[in-house]
Amino acid sequence: MYESLQQLDSLRINFAQSDALNFVLAFIMFGVALSIRLSEFKKLILSPKPILVGVFSQFVALPCVTFLLVLAFNRLLPPMVAMGMILVAACPGGNISNFMSSLSKANTELSVTLTAISTGLAIFMTPFNFSFWGGLYARFVSQRAESVLQPLEIEFGQMFETVFIILGIPVVLGLLCSHYLPRVANRLKRPLQRLSIVFFVVLVAVMFASNWSLFIHHIHYVFIVVLVHNLVALLTGYGLAALFRQSDCNRRTIAIETGIQNSGLGLVLLFNPKIFPPELAIGGMLFVTAWWGVWHIVSGLGLSLYWSRKGVKSEK
């Protein structure tokens, strides 16, 4: 398995639409921000515990658990595949988590609030988490004589700049529109959100079509890696919420917010030559991040449909 996954590093994914991905992701975040009301942040003061648990699960627990996971399976995971898992774990929640929470009979208001907060925090936390945990892993790998990680300098400043442009500016514009032009925001939010998801799915389909033979030959091991990682992410969110005695609704919400990651942001970072120069062989990171973008939709919708048919436990 190790040798098969290691072969991914030398592969070059053909994706000439990276600029289009930047635009679509910014468009998605603008649409998400239209659904956010500044009054939602009052919940942080009035009822902070579920929000704090959700933020902790996403930005502290998941990166830490991912780091421990790649260490536990370091004999099976090549360095670049492991770094791809760390990058995905450093990204904020995915843009369809609110829909999945609604379908799951979970706490949709908590989901929206967590989306707002995690998106804002991601401007700082995504570069920090990838630099911190990725740096720890790079030092761990460098101590192994049988495995040498190719030179990889994680540029925090450039990553922060990219995340700020892709997430920060669209979210601020969306919040301003939602606050000062609420009627316009109400009319635009659903069409824009649906359209942005369609655009994203089309871009992912184009990427897979352009690299179909590569994915067909190498997806089986990547599938297992992403399946296990995504399952661990969902269990981390649900288990942490249960540990802090959250309601069944909140447990479902926090599980979804932790297990549905914005892997599109990860792809944007990977295709940025200022962060990851073209001469670096990062095929393993690209494969993991790209397949995450597909699989978390499948797993999230499957879990949401299961929960939609299962009653919510009443609070004692």
Side-chain angles (χ1 to χ4, degrees), residues 128-141:
F128 171 79
N129 272 328
F130 186 62
S131 297
F132 180 75
W133 297 108
L136 283 180
Y137 177 75
R139 288 193 289 274
F140 167 78
V141 171

Side-chain angles (χ1 to χ4, degrees), residues 186-229:
N186 285 330
R187 291 180 180 179
L188 289 178
K189 63 181 181 180
R190 286 193 177 182
L192 287 183
Q193 289 173 1
R194 292 174 181 173
L195 192 61
S196 63
I197 292 175
V198 170
F199 284 162
F200 182 74
V201 170
V202 169
L203 273 176
V204 171
V206 169
M207 183 183 70
F208 273 90
S210 303
N211 303 274
W212 184 250
S213 60
L214 293 178
F215 280 102
I216 287 297
H217 285 90
H218 301 280
I219 195 61
H220 47 292
Y221 288 126
V222 176
F223 177 85
I224 296 172
V225 170
V226 172
L227 172 67
V228 173
H229 190 201

Side-chain angles (χ1 to χ4, degrees), residues 10 57 69 84 91 111 119 157 168 199 210 227 240 258 304:
S10 60
S57 176
L69 186 66
C91 291
S111 177
T119 300
F199 284 162
S210 303
L227 172 67
L240 196 62
T258 307
S304 298

Side-chain angles (χ1 to χ4, degrees), residues 15-60:
F15 190 56
Q17 296 82 9
S18 57
D19 290 337
L21 180 62
N22 295 355
F23 173 79
V24 169
L25 188 57
F27 188 68
I28 289 173
M29 299 319 300
F30 177 76
V32 168
L34 291 179
S35 300
I36 300 172
R37 298 289 181 268
L38 295 178
S39 58
E40 294 287 342
F41 291 98
K42 293 180 180 178
K43 295 183 175 66
L44 181 61
I45 299 175
L46 300 176
S47 182
K49 188 174 180 179
I51 298 174
L52 292 175
V53 172
V55 172
F56 180 85
S57 176
Q58 192 165 349
F59 286 116
V60 179

Side-chain angles (χ1 to χ4, degrees), residues 282-293:
I282 57 171
M285 296 181 70
L286 284 168
F287 266 82
V288 169
T289 307
W291 184 244
W292 245 97

